Amino acid sequence: MEPFRIKKALFVTSVAEKGGYPEKRPEIALVGRSNVGKSSLINCLTGNGKLARISAAPGKTRLVNYYLANDSFYLVDLPGYGFAQRSKGERESWGKLMESYLTSGRVDHLFLLLDIRHEPTGEDRQMMEFLLYYGIPFTIVATKADKVAKSKRQQAANQNAKLVGAPPWGLPFSSETGEGREALLERLGSIVSEKLGSAKENETEPLTEP
């Protein structure tokens, strides 16, 4: 079977409040602390270094950003959390935006990004609790893997997954070297294939008498 690839990707829209979402398609979202590498991951997976804007200053992504991939599914870049320099009002607005999105029923799978170099924060654990409470399927992605010795990467990724409250397995990933890219694309491919297959089955399901 040919490996899954993102052959086409483009920015669609930014959503600031509930009700502004684009047409429903399979939806894989990325969430994590500010500056954990969400935009870099999107650019690495799509092979387009300029698709998602990368800022040197954390906390710049304050909207829900939609990218359409292969004309069939969305990659969704969620605002980063844990940026201390935001005002109380901004943090409250962020919280409402995130809660509105994650309880909308749109997200089919979520990649929770953790910096492989550091233990998960309280906010990382809160996000994990939220995902478990609402039953949102997830994958733990340990970013910036190139900053850790190769022999310690998988162990560090698994440890962070365990500390955040997930099953003790994480996927080491580096946007700098491309480590983990193939594994993450394979994961994406299986999620999208499953969702598109389910949608097609529902469309062709025969009507039954009540």
Side-chain angles (χ1 to χ4, degrees):
M1 182 182 293
E2 185 179 344
F4 180 78
R5 290 288 182 269
I6 296 178
K7 299 178 180 178
K8 179 182 178 182
L10 54 88
F11 171 75
V12 177
T13 188
S14 293
V15 178
E17 59 185 19
K18 189 173 183 179
Y21 301 120
E23 174 190 2
K24 184 69 181 83
R25 300 174 187 267
E27 205 156 303
I28 296 92
L30 293 83
V31 71
R33 284 178 57 82
S34 295
N35 214 30
V36 75
K38 298 185 301 297
S39 298
S40 295
L41 187 147
I42 289 173
N43 291 344
C44 182
L45 292 182
T46 60
N48 183 349
K50 297 181 179 180
L51 181 62
R53 184 178 178 184
I54 300 170
S55 173
K60 287 296 184 182
T61 303
R62 302 186 183 185
L63 301 170
V64 176
N65 293 320
Y66 275 81
Y67 300 91
L68 179 62
N70 291 350
D71 292 323
S72 60
F73 69 96
Y74 295 118
L75 290 173
V76 186
D77 189 7
L78 300 178
Y81 50 81
F83 185 51
Q85 293 181 28
R86 284 183 180 167
S87 67
K88 181 179 179 182
E90 285 179 314
R91 290 195 297 271
E92 289 178 352
S93 176
W94 175 89
K96 291 177 181 178
L97 176 65
M98 290 289 286
E99 183 176 7
S100 174
Y101 174 73
L102 292 174
T103 59
S104 67
R106 292 183 59 92
V107 60
D108 294 301
H109 198 94
L110 190 142
F111 291 149
L112 175 56
L113 276 58
L114 303 173
D115 189 326
I116 198 170
R117 302 169 297 177
H118 309 296
E119 288 190 4
T121 66
E123 288 163 315
D124 290 323
R125 289 189 287 272
Q126 287 176 359
M127 180 58 68
M128 187 71 250
E129 290 172 2
F130 193 97
L131 299 181
L132 293 173
Y133 181 80
Y134 285 102
I136 298 174
F138 64 89
T139 298
I140 301 295
V141 181
T143 62
K144 308 190 180 185
D146 58 291
K147 307 299 183 184
V148 174
K150 190 171 184 179
S151 61
K152 297 181 179 180
R153 290 172 190 170
Q154 189 61 61
Q155 180 183 357
N158 294 350
Q159 178 69 2
N160 273 2
K162 181 179 180 180
L163 289 174
V164 85
W169 185 84
L171 174 63
F173 178 85
S174 169
S175 59
E176 293 291 326
T177 66
E179 178 179 352
R181 181 177 186 268
E182 293 301 316
L184 203 50
L185 281 170
E186 183 180 351
R187 185 83 179 110
L188 261 178
S190 64
I191 294 166
V192 172
S193 177
E194 178 184 345
K195 294 302 175 183
L196 289 176
S198 297
K200 191 172 182 180
E201 285 179 11
N202 290 336
E203 287 177 1
T204 58
E205 225 173 60
L207 295 175
T208 56
E209 293 294 331

